[in-house]
Amino acid sequence: CGNQPDVTDRGAFTGWVRPFGVFGLGAAALKIKCGFVPTEFGRNAYRSARTQRDARLVGADYYYAVFQAAGRSALTQNNKVAQLAVGDVALIDAARPAACFAGDSQWLRLQLPRQSLASHLGYELQGGLSARGGAPAARLLFDLVRNADKGDGAAVSPADPYMQLAVYDL
């Protein structure tokens, strides 16, 4: 989420990131374990912030669809707070400041190129949007990403560009 992670108890913190692909799009599985369950929003074991400077230095020209795979977390962007439970999804603009607050959590993150997505939709999206996992489109997209993560990493398929369009629609 950013370059400034803040962990309440560094001795109890572990985490990992494992990249994979979804229909030719970059994706990653992320997990953090902080040693205890957070008691309330804002008092979590882990906090990470991406500042405007961080975003500018990286030159990120994409969005992230972030799926809560385990635990609970909160993502903030554009003065919007998305409190995520398992199956929920949030859209984060990687080119803008954002923050993440979590205890023990696991996410699946799908990278969506800004120009391709905006061209397909016909407009630019605002980061900080979210959808509950019970929404049919969110559930279907989560299942596509989760199943791709369970795959064997097979070669690129000729259907990938069409599946990318389906992902953009969802």
Side-chain angles (χ1 to χ4, degrees), residues 89-117:
V89 61
L91 182 77
I92 300 297
D93 185 344
R96 301 197 35 93
C100 172
F101 306 88
D104 292 351
S105 289
Q106 188 169 349
W107 303 273
L108 294 175
R109 180 181 73 189
L110 181 62
Q111 189 172 315
L112 305 168
R114 178 183 308 279
Q115 185 176 0
S116 297
L117 183 60

mmCIF file of all heavy atoms in Angstrom, residues 89-117:
data_model
loop_
_atom_site.group_PDB
_atom_site.id
_atom_site.type_symbol
_atom_site.label_atom_id
_atom_site.label_comp_id
_atom_site.label_asym_id
_atom_site.label_seq_id
_atom_site.Cartn_x
_atom_site.Cartn_y
_atom_site.Cartn_z
ATOM 1 N N VAL A 89 -14.351 -6.213 -1.968
ATOM 2 C CA VAL A 89 -13.346 -5.691 -2.885
ATOM 3 C C VAL A 89 -13.320 -4.164 -2.800
ATOM 4 O O VAL A 89 -14.353 -3.531 -2.596
ATOM 5 C CB VAL A 89 -13.619 -6.153 -4.342
ATOM 6 C CG1 VAL A 89 -14.970 -5.666 -4.842
ATOM 7 C CG2 VAL A 89 -12.511 -5.707 -5.282
ATOM 8 N N ALA A 90 -12.123 -3.607 -2.943
ATOM 9 C CA ALA A 90 -11.954 -2.152 -2.998
ATOM 10 C C ALA A 90 -11.111 -1.819 -4.218
ATOM 11 O O ALA A 90 -10.237 -2.599 -4.615
ATOM 12 C CB ALA A 90 -11.277 -1.630 -1.738
ATOM 13 N N LEU A 91 -11.379 -0.674 -4.813
ATOM 14 C CA LEU A 91 -10.602 -0.187 -5.938
ATOM 15 C C LEU A 91 -9.701 0.928 -5.428
ATOM 16 O O LEU A 91 -10.187 1.929 -4.890
ATOM 17 C CB LEU A 91 -11.512 0.350 -7.047
ATOM 18 C CG LEU A 91 -10.749 0.840 -8.267
ATOM 19 C CD1 LEU A 91 -10.282 -0.350 -9.099
ATOM 20 C CD2 LEU A 91 -11.609 1.766 -9.103
ATOM 21 N N ILE A 92 -8.394 0.746 -5.571
ATOM 22 C CA ILE A 92 -7.416 1.720 -5.118
ATOM 23 C C ILE A 92 -6.660 2.260 -6.320
ATOM 24 O O ILE A 92 -6.161 1.490 -7.143
ATOM 25 C CB ILE A 92 -6.425 1.074 -4.115
ATOM 26 C CG1 ILE A 92 -7.167 0.533 -2.899
ATOM 27 C CG2 ILE A 92 -5.327 2.053 -3.718
ATOM 28 C CD1 ILE A 92 -7.873 1.581 -2.072
ATOM 29 N N ASP A 93 -6.569 3.584 -6.428
ATOM 30 C CA ASP A 93 -5.798 4.247 -7.477
ATOM 31 C C ASP A 93 -4.357 4.326 -6.989
ATOM 32 O O ASP A 93 -4.051 5.057 -6.046
ATOM 33 C CB ASP A 93 -6.368 5.638 -7.729
ATOM 34 C CG ASP A 93 -5.704 6.361 -8.885
ATOM 35 O OD1 ASP A 93 -4.604 5.937 -9.309
ATOM 36 O OD2 ASP A 93 -6.277 7.360 -9.356
ATOM 37 N N ALA A 94 -3.461 3.573 -7.615
ATOM 38 C CA ALA A 94 -2.065 3.507 -7.168
ATOM 39 C C ALA A 94 -1.324 4.824 -7.363
ATOM 40 O O ALA A 94 -0.260 5.021 -6.794
ATOM 41 C CB ALA A 94 -1.338 2.378 -7.903
ATOM 42 N N ALA A 95 -1.878 5.748 -8.134
ATOM 43 C CA ALA A 95 -1.236 7.033 -8.386
ATOM 44 C C ALA A 95 -1.629 8.094 -7.363
ATOM 45 O O ALA A 95 -1.212 9.232 -7.471
ATOM 46 C CB ALA A 95 -1.576 7.520 -9.796
ATOM 47 N N ARG A 96 -2.439 7.720 -6.368
ATOM 48 C CA ARG A 96 -2.911 8.679 -5.367
ATOM 49 C C ARG A 96 -2.616 8.165 -3.959
ATOM 50 O O ARG A 96 -2.467 6.972 -3.756
ATOM 51 C CB ARG A 96 -4.410 8.907 -5.539
ATOM 52 C CG ARG A 96 -4.747 9.431 -6.939
ATOM 53 C CD ARG A 96 -6.082 10.057 -7.073
ATOM 54 N NE ARG A 96 -6.564 10.788 -5.942
ATOM 55 C CZ ARG A 96 -6.413 12.096 -5.740
ATOM 56 N NH1 ARG A 96 -5.758 12.809 -6.603
ATOM 57 N NH2 ARG A 96 -6.933 12.676 -4.683
ATOM 58 N N PRO A 97 -2.570 9.066 -2.989
ATOM 59 C CA PRO A 97 -2.345 8.631 -1.608
ATOM 60 C C PRO A 97 -3.433 7.664 -1.140
ATOM 61 O O PRO A 97 -4.588 7.779 -1.545
ATOM 62 C CB PRO A 97 -2.418 9.935 -0.806
ATOM 63 C CG PRO A 97 -2.139 11.016 -1.789
ATOM 64 C CD PRO A 97 -2.675 10.520 -3.099
ATOM 65 N N ALA A 98 -3.029 6.718 -0.304
ATOM 66 C CA ALA A 98 -3.960 5.731 0.261
ATOM 67 C C ALA A 98 -3.360 5.197 1.551
ATOM 68 O O ALA A 98 -2.162 5.356 1.800
ATOM 69 C CB ALA A 98 -4.195 4.587 -0.726
ATOM 70 N N ALA A 99 -4.192 4.567 2.361
ATOM 71 C CA ALA A 99 -3.708 3.955 3.597
ATOM 72 C C ALA A 99 -4.441 2.644 3.831
ATOM 73 O O ALA A 99 -5.570 2.451 3.388
ATOM 74 C CB ALA A 99 -3.912 4.897 4.787
ATOM 75 N N CYS A 100 -3.775 1.751 4.555
ATOM 76 C CA CYS A 100 -4.330 0.446 4.901
ATOM 77 C C CYS A 100 -4.161 0.244 6.396
ATOM 78 O O CYS A 100 -3.099 0.533 6.959
ATOM 79 C CB CYS A 100 -3.576 -0.640 4.141
ATOM 80 S SG CYS A 100 -4.003 -2.320 4.629
ATOM 81 N N PHE A 101 -5.213 -0.257 7.059
ATOM 82 C CA PHE A 101 -5.201 -0.570 8.486
ATOM 83 C C PHE A 101 -5.676 -2.014 8.629
ATOM 84 O O PHE A 101 -6.728 -2.357 8.096
ATOM 85 C CB PHE A 101 -6.167 0.340 9.250
ATOM 86 C CG PHE A 101 -5.923 1.799 9.010
ATOM 87 C CD1 PHE A 101 -6.529 2.446 7.945
ATOM 88 C CD2 PHE A 101 -5.091 2.517 9.847
ATOM 89 C CE1 PHE A 101 -6.315 3.794 7.715
ATOM 90 C CE2 PHE A 101 -4.871 3.876 9.624
ATOM 91 C CZ PHE A 101 -5.473 4.510 8.561
ATOM 92 N N ALA A 102 -4.904 -2.841 9.338
ATOM 93 C CA ALA A 102 -5.291 -4.253 9.426
ATOM 94 C C ALA A 102 -4.674 -4.928 10.636
ATOM 95 O O ALA A 102 -3.687 -4.457 11.197
ATOM 96 C CB ALA A 102 -4.853 -4.998 8.162
ATOM 97 N N GLY A 103 -5.265 -6.051 10.988
ATOM 98 C CA GLY A 103 -4.672 -6.998 11.924
ATOM 99 C C GLY A 103 -4.185 -8.159 11.073
ATOM 100 O O GLY A 103 -3.644 -7.955 9.994
ATOM 101 N N ASP A 104 -4.405 -9.381 11.488
ATOM 102 C CA ASP A 104 -4.054 -10.535 10.670
ATOM 103 C C ASP A 104 -4.974 -10.538 9.459
ATOM 104 O O ASP A 104 -6.190 -10.629 9.601
ATOM 105 C CB ASP A 104 -4.220 -11.830 11.458
ATOM 106 C CG ASP A 104 -3.203 -11.956 12.581
ATOM 107 O OD1 ASP A 104 -2.277 -11.133 12.649
ATOM 108 O OD2 ASP A 104 -3.346 -12.879 13.394
ATOM 109 N N SER A 105 -4.395 -10.415 8.284
ATOM 110 C CA SER A 105 -5.196 -10.304 7.065
ATOM 111 C C SER A 105 -4.494 -10.946 5.884
ATOM 112 O O SER A 105 -3.277 -11.119 5.885
ATOM 113 C CB SER A 105 -5.466 -8.833 6.712
ATOM 114 O OG SER A 105 -6.364 -8.254 7.612
ATOM 115 N N GLN A 106 -5.316 -11.257 4.895
ATOM 116 C CA GLN A 106 -4.802 -11.780 3.637
ATOM 117 C C GLN A 106 -5.615 -11.171 2.513
ATOM 118 O O GLN A 106 -6.843 -11.047 2.622
ATOM 119 C CB GLN A 106 -4.901 -13.300 3.612
ATOM 120 C CG GLN A 106 -4.214 -13.917 2.437
ATOM 121 C CD GLN A 106 -4.104 -15.423 2.576
ATOM 122 O OE1 GLN A 106 -4.362 -16.001 3.630
ATOM 123 N NE2 GLN A 106 -3.722 -16.074 1.501
ATOM 124 N N TRP A 107 -4.929 -10.754 1.437
ATOM 125 C CA TRP A 107 -5.586 -10.128 0.295
ATOM 126 C C TRP A 107 -5.131 -10.775 -1.000
ATOM 127 O O TRP A 107 -4.049 -11.337 -1.080
ATOM 128 C CB TRP A 107 -5.213 -8.645 0.195
ATOM 129 C CG TRP A 107 -5.507 -7.820 1.382
ATOM 130 C CD1 TRP A 107 -6.676 -7.185 1.692
ATOM 131 C CD2 TRP A 107 -4.619 -7.499 2.444
ATOM 132 N NE1 TRP A 107 -6.561 -6.494 2.870
ATOM 133 C CE2 TRP A 107 -5.303 -6.676 3.359
ATOM 134 C CE3 TRP A 107 -3.289 -7.837 2.730
ATOM 135 C CZ2 TRP A 107 -4.720 -6.184 4.515
ATOM 136 C CZ3 TRP A 107 -2.708 -7.348 3.882
ATOM 137 C CH2 TRP A 107 -3.422 -6.531 4.753
ATOM 138 N N LEU A 108 -5.954 -10.636 -2.002
ATOM 139 C CA LEU A 108 -5.573 -10.879 -3.385
ATOM 140 C C LEU A 108 -5.678 -9.522 -4.064
ATOM 141 O O LEU A 108 -6.665 -8.799 -3.880
ATOM 142 C CB LEU A 108 -6.503 -11.888 -4.057
ATOM 143 C CG LEU A 108 -6.447 -13.307 -3.499
ATOM 144 C CD1 LEU A 108 -7.512 -14.169 -4.163
ATOM 145 C CD2 LEU A 108 -5.067 -13.913 -3.719
ATOM 146 N N ARG A 109 -4.647 -9.175 -4.818
ATOM 147 C CA ARG A 109 -4.598 -7.853 -5.445
ATOM 148 C C ARG A 109 -4.428 -8.029 -6.942
ATOM 149 O O ARG A 109 -3.544 -8.746 -7.401
ATOM 150 C CB ARG A 109 -3.418 -7.079 -4.849
ATOM 151 C CG ARG A 109 -3.244 -5.703 -5.392
ATOM 152 C CD ARG A 109 -2.056 -5.048 -4.759
ATOM 153 N NE ARG A 109 -0.840 -5.644 -5.302
ATOM 154 C CZ ARG A 109 0.373 -5.414 -4.832
ATOM 155 N NH1 ARG A 109 0.544 -4.655 -3.785
ATOM 156 N NH2 ARG A 109 1.420 -5.973 -5.394
ATOM 157 N N LEU A 110 -5.273 -7.383 -7.712
ATOM 158 C CA LEU A 110 -5.248 -7.452 -9.170
ATOM 159 C C LEU A 110 -4.889 -6.082 -9.711
ATOM 160 O O LEU A 110 -5.521 -5.086 -9.356
ATOM 161 C CB LEU A 110 -6.614 -7.899 -9.695
ATOM 162 C CG LEU A 110 -6.774 -8.058 -11.194
ATOM 163 C CD1 LEU A 110 -5.834 -9.131 -11.728
ATOM 164 C CD2 LEU A 110 -8.219 -8.417 -11.523
ATOM 165 N N GLN A 111 -3.866 -6.009 -10.561
ATOM 166 C CA GLN A 111 -3.413 -4.744 -11.125
ATOM 167 C C GLN A 111 -4.141 -4.490 -12.449
ATOM 168 O O GLN A 111 -4.119 -5.324 -13.345
ATOM 169 C CB GLN A 111 -1.903 -4.793 -11.356
ATOM 170 C CG GLN A 111 -1.307 -3.478 -11.738
ATOM 171 C CD GLN A 111 0.207 -3.552 -11.750
ATOM 172 O OE1 GLN A 111 0.813 -4.102 -10.840
ATOM 173 N NE2 GLN A 111 0.815 -3.000 -12.780
ATOM 174 N N LEU A 112 -4.799 -3.332 -12.532
ATOM 175 C CA LEU A 112 -5.585 -2.962 -13.713
ATOM 176 C C LEU A 112 -4.965 -1.723 -14.357
ATOM 177 O O LEU A 112 -4.980 -0.637 -13.751
ATOM 178 C CB LEU A 112 -7.028 -2.667 -13.305
ATOM 179 C CG LEU A 112 -7.738 -3.794 -12.541
ATOM 180 C CD1 LEU A 112 -9.032 -3.289 -11.932
ATOM 181 C CD2 LEU A 112 -7.973 -4.965 -13.458
ATOM 182 N N PRO A 113 -4.400 -1.844 -15.560
ATOM 183 C CA PRO A 113 -3.771 -0.697 -16.219
ATOM 184 C C PRO A 113 -4.779 0.444 -16.433
ATOM 185 O O PRO A 113 -5.871 0.232 -16.947
ATOM 186 C CB PRO A 113 -3.301 -1.251 -17.563
ATOM 187 C CG PRO A 113 -3.266 -2.734 -17.376
ATOM 188 C CD PRO A 113 -4.321 -3.055 -16.358
ATOM 189 N N ARG A 114 -4.406 1.649 -16.008
ATOM 190 C CA ARG A 114 -5.293 2.814 -16.049
ATOM 191 C C ARG A 114 -5.815 3.086 -17.467
ATOM 192 O O ARG A 114 -7.015 3.220 -17.670
ATOM 193 C CB ARG A 114 -4.550 4.047 -15.535
ATOM 194 C CG ARG A 114 -5.373 5.322 -15.569
ATOM 195 C CD ARG A 114 -4.573 6.529 -15.115
ATOM 196 N NE ARG A 114 -3.932 6.297 -13.840
ATOM 197 C CZ ARG A 114 -4.553 6.404 -12.665
ATOM 198 N NH1 ARG A 114 -5.807 6.764 -12.600
ATOM 199 N NH2 ARG A 114 -3.907 6.153 -11.555
ATOM 200 N N GLN A 115 -4.920 3.172 -18.431
ATOM 201 C CA GLN A 115 -5.341 3.541 -19.783
ATOM 202 C C GLN A 115 -6.281 2.501 -20.384
ATOM 203 O O GLN A 115 -7.299 2.856 -20.976
ATOM 204 C CB GLN A 115 -4.123 3.741 -20.678
ATOM 205 C CG GLN A 115 -4.475 4.244 -22.058
ATOM 206 C CD GLN A 115 -3.251 4.537 -22.896
ATOM 207 O OE1 GLN A 115 -2.125 4.362 -22.464
ATOM 208 N NE2 GLN A 115 -3.475 5.003 -24.103
ATOM 209 N N SER A 116 -5.976 1.229 -20.228
ATOM 210 C CA SER A 116 -6.834 0.172 -20.779
ATOM 211 C C SER A 116 -8.209 0.174 -20.124
ATOM 212 O O SER A 116 -9.233 0.064 -20.798
ATOM 213 C CB SER A 116 -6.193 -1.200 -20.587
ATOM 214 O OG SER A 116 -4.983 -1.291 -21.279
ATOM 215 N N LEU A 117 -8.239 0.310 -18.792
ATOM 216 C CA LEU A 117 -9.509 0.290 -18.065
ATOM 217 C C LEU A 117 -10.353 1.513 -18.415
ATOM 218 O O LEU A 117 -11.542 1.394 -18.707
ATOM 219 C CB LEU A 117 -9.265 0.214 -16.561
ATOM 220 C CG LEU A 117 -10.507 0.114 -15.684
ATOM 221 C CD1 LEU A 117 -11.316 -1.132 -16.028
ATOM 222 C CD2 LEU A 117 -10.110 0.109 -14.212
#
